Amino acid sequence: MIKKFIFGTPFETEAITGGGEIPAVRLEENPGGIPYFSAAVKEDGVTLTRLMDEGERIYGLGENIRGINKRGWIYESDCTDDPIHTEGRRELYAAHNFFLTEGRERFGVFVDAPQKVTFDLGYGDRDQMKVTVSAGGFALYLLEGDSMRQIVREFRRAIGRSYIPPKWAFGYGQSRWGYECEADIREVVRRHREEGVPLDSVYLDIDYMERYKDFTVDQEKFPDFPGFVREMRQQKIHLVPIIDAGVKIEEGYPVYEKGVENGYFCKKEDGREFVCGVWPGRVHLPDVLNEKARAWFGQNYKILLDQGIDGFWNDMNEPALFYGEDYLEEVFEKLADYGRQELDIKSFFGMKNLVLGVANRKEDYQSFYHESRDGRVRHDQVHNLYGYHMTRAAGEAFDSIKPDQRILLFSRASYVGMHRYGGVWTGDNSSWWSHLLMNLQMMAGLNMCGFLYTGADLGGFGADATEDLLLRWLELGIFTPLMRNHSAKGTRRQEFYQFGHPEDFRNILGLRYGFLPYLYSEFVKAAMTDDMMFLPLSFVYPEDEAAAEVEDQMMVGESMMIAPVYRQNARGRYVYLPEEMKLYRFRSLTSADQELLGAGHHYVKAELSEVLIFVRPDHIVPMSEGGCSVEDIDASRLNLLHFVRTEGTYELYDDDGYRKDVDLESGLTVITVKADGTVSVSGAGRPECRLR
Amino acid sequence: MIKKFIFGTPFETEAITGGGEIPAVRLEENPGGIPYFSAAVKEDGVTLTRLMDEGERIYGLGENIRGINKRGWIYESDCTDDPIHTEGRRELYAAHNFFLTEGRERFGVFVDAPQKVTFDLGYGDRDQMKVTVSAGGFALYLLEGDSMRQIVREFRRAIGRSYIPPKWAFGYGQSRWGYECEADIREVVRRHREEGVPLDSVYLDIDYMERYKDFTVDQEKFPDFPGFVREMRQQKIHLVPIIDAGVKIEEGYPVYEKGVENGYFCKKEDGREFVCGVWPGRVHLPDVLNEKARAWFGQNYKILLDQGIDGFWNDMNEPALFYGEDYLEEVFEKLADYGRQELDIKSFFGMKNLVLGVANRKEDYQSFYHESRDGRVRHDQVHNLYGYHMTRAAGEAFDSIKPDQRILLFSRASYVGMHRYGGVWTGDNSSWWSHLLMNLQMMAGLNMCGFLYTGADLGGFGADATEDLLLRWLELGIFTPLMRNHSAKGTRRQEFYQFGHPEDFRNILGLRYGFLPYLYSEFVKAAMTDDMMFLPLSFVYPEDEAAAEVEDQMMVGESMMIAPVYRQNARGRYVYLPEEMKLYRFRSLTSADQELLGAGHHYVKAELSEVLIFVRPDHIVPMSEGGCSVEDIDASRLNLLHFVRTEGTYELYDDDGYRKDVDLESGLTVITVKADGTVSVSGAGRPECRLR
């Protein structure tokens, strides 16, 4: 059951696809009319307040720090490029304004507001929930249902089907900010292929471009880019270039010139284009909220599609501002003043903060405008939609340019609604053990908000990775749909071959390709049925009090639970089983222990290169025999992990991995295992199945 | 067994008190002569390398990030003021160059070198240990023994007895950077006393001073400081002012003028005083490595002792430099250049990094000198001794000014040797759950290096605390000798009365005063016998493989184990018991459950305001009935936590809490509990003992 409330004149975010059909209550006319909350309207926004039950738990909010249970912190939806994701942060790159709560009452809330929204979930007062929407109109949706999972499904149905990438995008990708040229990439591919470590893609960070200009390729580094793309495809490697939001101001650069000519860039109040600094230096921001500008920006992706590219990542689209040009001039004037006076400690910090404060400045976001369908709107009022609509630009363009082919697409900034056009990666994390755990914890929240194709920079983007951190992180990463090892310039390199034990990486990454049939099947089924692929234990075992406490395990699809190790030097971990399960302890695709574990708490050993899989009763996990790329996987031979007491049935979805119009029914193969070990197969495929 | 090796001409750090008596091997003459390691001498320093066993574990390194087992990371001894203690950090405020390792071999290493030392313990290569001492002489000590604990004792014996503070310093202290004046402090005390929340001290951060000048008190904020100190003492409150390293350059300020007059400040190569910026603005640094200057600086503490002060914390003594004056001038010139040119992205970051790079700059540390006993030495060669010798200045002065009275003293920066003069707090941590765990983990390493009087800023210094974080942190803090709630200006206030549940704080802090007889006894015994008060489980149960894995529990003294909860929203946690123990689950001093738990893994419930105590078999923990200050505690009535199967004996040490010459024997009361519940008491005291 969805109820809609509106306040003021909400900006149409197009997050809810069938929103017009839901009857709405106007908050101004009926301020006491929102169930569960009391509303207070002030000049600077509307606040909804509510006392929480002592044991009440809160889920959702997509890409955010802290645990699966979001209670006890304050979160801000205010897309921000700041790479230090400590526990004190309130905002990351995304605005995923959907959460669910379960105490004596159970309901979901979606705040459809593109401006800043604050979720104080027991921070200011440990017993109180306080949602504040800053000034401007908004729509609010309340959702009820028989279970948390059902409320999620209802929400997901309302926001439309999640993006499905091509199947190759479930393979392993290697990335680093710092790969400059053909030789760098060939080296990456060669080392993986030589050591038999699987690889499906190499990512191109900003250095592939000519002076960081979108949709260009540096001719010196890549003299024959289409040829190089072909060469890589012959090695079963997809190249995935980055696209940044800002368009470099440079005479003779067609994207810049076309944009100016047509007025497609964001403008200041005086009608001149807003200028800010990002990687290319001075840039304009494409007005992706202007439908025509969005269509134009999207068509530029064709330049790279025509050269054989079939995947992209959209970056810097919060949008990140290293500085706004007008303000930077002010800063230099003030710095000159500081230089002329004798500094005391106050003026010293004044100077320091002046320089530190030029990035992502609130006043800069208030100084430019979009030409939306509903007229001119100041950026800060719709800030959280920018990344969404940049990615939508690409997604809509792909639909017209490649109507039959899935193109890989994911973004750094996002808002609910963008999940229909692409996935997200979780931004510039760090090589910290705590971020390995955060990666796991975020998966469930992201799924709730529609983002199924997602994952973190494995091994960590910032800071220096260690071999054990990368191994442990990959042991989680082999289950996340987006599985990419990415790191920043200036940090320790973290391709597997930088470390001393290639066999460990070969074994762990090999497992990904073994699980691929299951992961792809679970992903597509979740997308097509508006369900989650990563579920907190409490979503599957709602009556189990102990399961609700678990913050470091996750259900992955219908058959299995994972419990990665996320502590340095640990050689095992505690695991809670809500019911009896079968533990498979994998050392490689061909080597695993099995053990039955009863319901309850266990300490389970897991050496550095061991991966723990827990199979639920009467469930099956089909595995392939692996391969060094997704296209090498032999779908006709499956090994079945199984824990069958009476009978287990698994519906395996598969397809060619490219077709855009996914038909779930026609792709299903039904595999049944009986207690006596007999296996039967029916449906789309006829794989040869072996019990494992 | 201690073996000593020397290389070059080591600077005499006075870390080892009996160092001259240990025969030394010269490394130059016998480079292959260091057991366990192979040594490589290069121009920029000496590197000792060693292959580690697969299961080898490394302990020690005092104040450092990461786990109890330090393996898998790289640590730098290079005292640094940087408040963001993420997992990627390599150095904090201290240089505690002692570690122990246990694999097939077992030994300890102390690198007595005041310059930068790097400990790569499986970072570069997960199988390799690499200790690098940067250019300059050093001494290296290798220690062997029958157990890790014995090696620690041997090391501790070599470095001299640890500092013992007055007993009141084991009470609860409230602090905040931001308490300005009498009224602020009266408010803090009033709220604690009114709510019956214990309190023994209030800390004065930099704002009590007149323009941040050391040994001054702002007369406007504190018109009658000695009177105010007395007023507080009548309320059983000790005021503890901060002393910073830098001395403000100000005509007419006696400390400055005396220092210049006598040449007691650090000088540049040209003989002029080095000028840098810290809180007071432009300052000079007292040359605490110069014996005369050190004696002079220390005598200044008398100014405050004479006003009734009996405790200090020494800060900014890495020494922290916000900027060096000469370099700042260069920076302004360069900034003016940037202002004149058109910025591209490279020059923009050049500008930004220029401003960010002025603090704690390597070249500034290379630009001034000390006049040590062994002649002039450039600061970077002895950098890690600065905080040690500043604190030694105070400690030596106290010995002459107050020969009979213990004065509270602790420092931010430190080096081994300083443990004889004062304690340390663990610096500017953050209000992060991960720092609660780090607080626990650090305790053991600090104890190994001689720092017994230590603790973290409870609730976290930087970032915003939540009520649950503070409660959970206090549940650990009630066991750390230094127990202070401290936070930074600009963060959320975190006195207990800022939150909604004062009763929870009263209950938890009340427990501290209950445990105080035990904690004080264990502390003094550890100090007098060169032992540890906080021990990793593996130090007490060396044969237990599972105990060696435990990173979130700690033995506190001889009778108990603690296992604090350090996860938001958790209502329990896993605990490993190496042997059967009795769990006391405290809700307050007067309310507790008891439960016998067998050896092995357990999941134990712990609600937000519950504290878990595990008593070892045949051990006793004497508790007082509490009080609102340490002097209120009635030592004549004790309640005994006990888990007696045959017979348990506890030797309780107590004294007046002030006497400097501690005599362990004469302060011991022997309490014995038999299996049948009979209690007998003998020795110094005759407390009335009740079984609990």
Side-chain angles (χ1 to χ4, degrees), chain B residues 509-539:
Chain B
L509 290 169
L511 283 169
R512 164 64 162 221
Y513 289 73
F515 287 116
L516 211 127
Y518 175 76
L519 296 173
Y520 185 69
S521 168
E522 288 301 309
F523 181 95
V524 175
K525 288 192 292 182
M528 299 303 288
T529 62
D530 300 317
D531 208 341
M532 297 163 68
M533 176 178 174
F534 285 78
L535 297 110
L537 271 57
S538 61
F539 276 46

Side-chain angles (χ1 to χ4, degrees), chain A residues 54 66 69-73 75 84 86-90 122-127 212 277-282 322-323 325 328 331-332 335-336 338-340 342-345 348-349 351-352 355-356 358-359 431-435 437 463-468 471 492 498-499 501 503-505 545 549-553 566-572 574-576 600-603 605 607-608, chain B residues 54 66 69-73 75 84 86-90 122-127 212 277-282 322-323 325 328 331-332 335-336 338-340 342-345 348-349 351-352 355-356 358-359 431-435 437 463-468 471 492 498-499 501 503-505 545 549-553 566-572 574-576 600-603 605 607-608:
Chain A
E54 205 184 319
R66 303 234 166 191
N69 179 357
K70 307 311 276 186
R71 186 166 176 169
W73 191 238
Y75 308 87
I84 309 299
T86 62
E87 287 177 50
R89 287 288 302 280
R90 297 178 175 196
Y123 165 81
D125 175 334
R126 81 186 202 213
D127 305 316
Y212 308 125
V278 274
W279 296 117
R282 301 168 66 242
F322 293 163
Y323 62 84
E325 184 174 65
L328 194 65
V331 167
F332 273 109
L335 284 176
Y338 279 120
R340 279 188 285 269
E342 198 181 321
L343 282 194
D344 61 13
I345 204 66
F348 169 74
F349 278 109
M351 178 204 60
K352 204 162 168 172
V355 173
L356 286 176
V358 298
S431 299
W432 300 343
W433 290 87
S434 56
H435 278 189
L437 175 60
D464 293 319
T466 53
E467 183 172 18
D468 56 348
L471 283 169
R492 182 179 186 179
Q498 308 293 343
F499 302 101
H501 303 78
E503 67 285 5
D504 288 348
F505 292 93
E545 284 286 317
E549 290 273 313
V550 175
E551 284 279 342
D552 57 2
Q553 305 169 206
Y566 53 89
R567 295 208 169 163
Q568 191 155 34
N569 298 315
R571 293 292 177 263
Y574 289 104
V575 177
Y576 176 71
H601 298 287
H602 299 269
Y603 184 87
K605 291 196 182 245
E607 291 295 326
L608 186 52
Chain B
E54 205 185 319
R66 303 234 167 186
N69 180 356
K70 307 311 276 186
R71 186 169 175 166
W73 191 240
Y75 309 86
I84 309 298
T86 61
E87 288 176 49
R89 287 287 300 280
R90 297 177 177 197
Y123 165 80
D125 176 333
R126 81 186 204 216
D127 304 316
Y212 308 125
V278 275
W279 296 117
R282 299 169 67 244
F322 293 164
Y323 61 86
E325 184 173 65
L328 195 65
V331 166
F332 273 110
L335 284 176
Y338 279 122
R340 279 188 285 269
E342 197 179 321
L343 283 193
D344 60 14
I345 204 65
F348 169 73
F349 278 108
M351 187 228 10
K352 205 163 169 174
V355 173
L356 287 175
V358 298
S431 297
W432 301 343
W433 291 87
S434 55
H435 279 189
L437 175 60
D464 294 320
T466 54
E467 184 172 19
D468 56 347
L471 283 169
R492 182 180 186 178
Q498 308 294 344
F499 302 102
H501 304 78
E503 68 285 5
D504 288 349
F505 292 93
E545 284 286 317
E549 291 273 311
V550 175
E551 284 278 340
D552 57 1
Q553 304 169 205
Y566 53 90
R567 294 211 168 159
Q568 190 156 36
N569 298 314
R571 293 292 176 265
Y574 289 103
V575 178
Y576 175 72
H601 299 285
H602 298 269
Y603 184 87
K605 289 193 185 248
E607 291 296 324
L608 186 53

Side-chain angles (χ1 to χ4, degrees), chain A residues 56-240:
Chain A
E56 188 165 331
R57 291 186 306 276
I58 305 169
Y59 297 90
L61 293 184
E63 183 185 288
N64 257 307
I65 63 156
R66 303 234 166 191
I68 298 173
N69 179 357
K70 307 311 276 186
R71 186 166 176 169
W73 191 238
I74 180 166
Y75 308 87
E76 288 175 4
S77 284
D78 188 21
C79 301
T80 302
D81 171 29
D82 177 345
I84 309 299
H85 307 168
T86 62
E87 287 177 50
R89 287 288 302 280
R90 297 178 175 196
E91 75 302 286
L92 292 175
Y93 308 87
H96 297 159
N97 299 345
F98 173 65
F99 70 90
L100 305 91
T101 188
E102 188 165 44
R104 282 190 287 269
E105 298 167 321
R106 181 199 307 118
F107 60 96
V109 178
F110 176 53
V111 182
D112 193 9
Q115 66 270 41
K116 180 170 149 178
V117 182
T118 304
F119 301 88
D120 175 344
L121 308 178
Y123 165 81
D125 175 334
R126 81 186 202 213
D127 305 316
Q128 203 175 64
M129 172 189 294
K130 225 162 96 177
V131 178
T132 303
V133 187
S134 57
F138 65 90
L140 183 110
Y141 299 85
L142 285 182
L143 300 97
E144 289 168 356
D146 291 337
S147 71
M148 298 294 260
R149 193 170 182 177
Q150 198 210 312
I151 294 173
V152 168
R153 276 199 217 103
E154 187 165 35
F155 175 63
R156 295 273 306 283
R157 209 152 35 234
I159 60 174
R161 203 199 83 187
S162 295
Y163 165 76
I164 300 175
K167 198 196 284 179
W168 64 262
F170 288 81
Y172 181 53
Q174 180 59 53
S175 184
R176 180 169 173 91
W177 171 25
Y179 296 158
E180 288 273 341
C181 58
E182 291 183 350
D184 288 348
I185 293 158
R186 284 197 186 101
E187 165 79 2
V188 170
V189 175
R190 184 180 65 79
R191 297 296 293 266
H192 282 79
R193 292 291 180 250
E194 275 179 11
E195 296 275 4
V197 172
L199 189 70
D200 268 275
S201 53
V202 178
Y203 287 74
L204 302 177
D205 207 319
I206 51 174
D207 295 305
Y208 80 92
M209 290 183 265
E210 184 186 276
R211 292 190 295 286
Y212 308 125
K213 290 185 297 188
D214 279 341
F215 312 115
T216 70
V217 174
D218 190 308
Q219 295 297 313
E220 283 185 27
K221 298 169 179 170
F222 299 91
D224 171 20
F225 191 65
F228 185 63
V229 175
R230 272 195 309 276
E231 174 192 326
M232 287 293 115
R233 284 295 302 116
Q234 278 154 11
Q235 296 196 54
K236 301 174 182 171
I237 296 294
H238 298 256
L239 292 180
V240 185

Side-chain angles (χ1 to χ4, degrees), chain B residues 224-335:
Chain B
D224 172 19
F225 192 64
F228 185 63
V229 173
R230 272 195 307 277
E231 174 192 325
M232 287 294 114
R233 284 296 301 116
Q234 278 154 12
Q235 296 197 54
K236 301 174 182 170
I237 296 294
H238 297 257
L239 292 180
V240 186
I242 196 169
I243 303 293
D244 277 0
V247 170
K248 186 173 176 66
I249 298 172
E250 187 181 278
E251 296 299 319
Y253 166 39
V255 183
Y256 162 72
E257 294 194 335
K258 266 277 170 43
V260 170
E261 200 180 303
N262 292 298
Y264 286 160
F265 294 122
C266 292
K267 298 195 182 67
K268 297 190 289 187
E269 198 159 14
D270 64 9
R272 291 187 305 156
E273 275 89 2
F274 174 71
V275 180
C276 57
V278 275
W279 296 117
R282 299 169 67 244
V283 303
H284 291 324
L285 295 174
D287 183 1
V288 287
L289 271 72
N290 170 340
E291 278 175 75
K292 282 187 187 158
R294 184 162 72 232
W296 158 76
F297 190 78
Q299 286 300 321
N300 284 295
Y301 285 81
K302 189 165 184 299
I303 298 168
L304 290 160
L305 290 171
D306 286 347
Q307 298 178 66
I309 291 298
D310 53 3
F312 298 90
W313 45 312
N314 283 346
D315 196 14
M316 301 293 283
N317 52 4
E318 292 70 29
L321 310 181
F322 293 164
Y323 61 86
E325 184 173 65
D326 293 346
Y327 182 63
L328 195 65
E329 278 171 31
E330 280 180 49
V331 166
F332 273 110
E333 280 163 32
K334 285 186 193 161
L335 284 176

Side-chain angles (χ1 to χ4, degrees), chain B residues 412-514:
Chain B
R412 194 169 69 184
S414 60
Y415 184 87
V416 170
M418 202 202 82
H419 70 286
R420 301 191 298 268
Y421 301 98
V424 290
W425 91 100
T426 60
D428 298 344
N429 64 359
S430 296
S431 297
W432 301 343
W433 291 87
S434 55
H435 279 189
L436 196 179
L437 175 60
M438 191 164 75
N439 182 180
L440 178 74
Q441 292 171 326
M442 250 189 221
M443 293 305 289
L446 283 161
N447 274 207
M448 293 174 208
C449 295
F451 294 90
L452 296 182
Y453 189 73
T454 182
D457 287 348
L458 302 171
F461 178 73
D464 294 320
T466 54
E467 184 172 19
D468 56 347
L469 174 67
L470 181 57
L471 283 169
R472 289 300 195 191
W473 209 325
L474 289 172
E475 291 169 15
L476 164 63
I478 57 173
F479 300 103
T480 63
L482 167 59
M483 178 181 53
R484 178 175 75 143
N485 176 342
H486 183 45
S487 58
K489 205 171 257 186
T491 65
R492 182 180 186 178
R493 290 193 61 154
Q494 65 193 38
E495 298 87 4
F496 83 89
Y497 49 84
Q498 308 294 344
F499 302 102
H501 304 78
E503 68 285 5
D504 288 349
F505 292 93
R506 187 164 51 238
N507 288 336
I508 291 167
L509 290 169
L511 283 169
R512 164 64 162 221
Y513 289 73

Side-chain angles (χ1 to χ4, degrees), chain B residues 623-638:
Chain B
M623 290 184 73
S624 82
E625 291 178 353
C628 273
S629 73
V630 169
E631 59 193 271
D632 286 345
I633 292 172
D634 180 358
S636 73
R637 294 164 58 87
L638 297 175

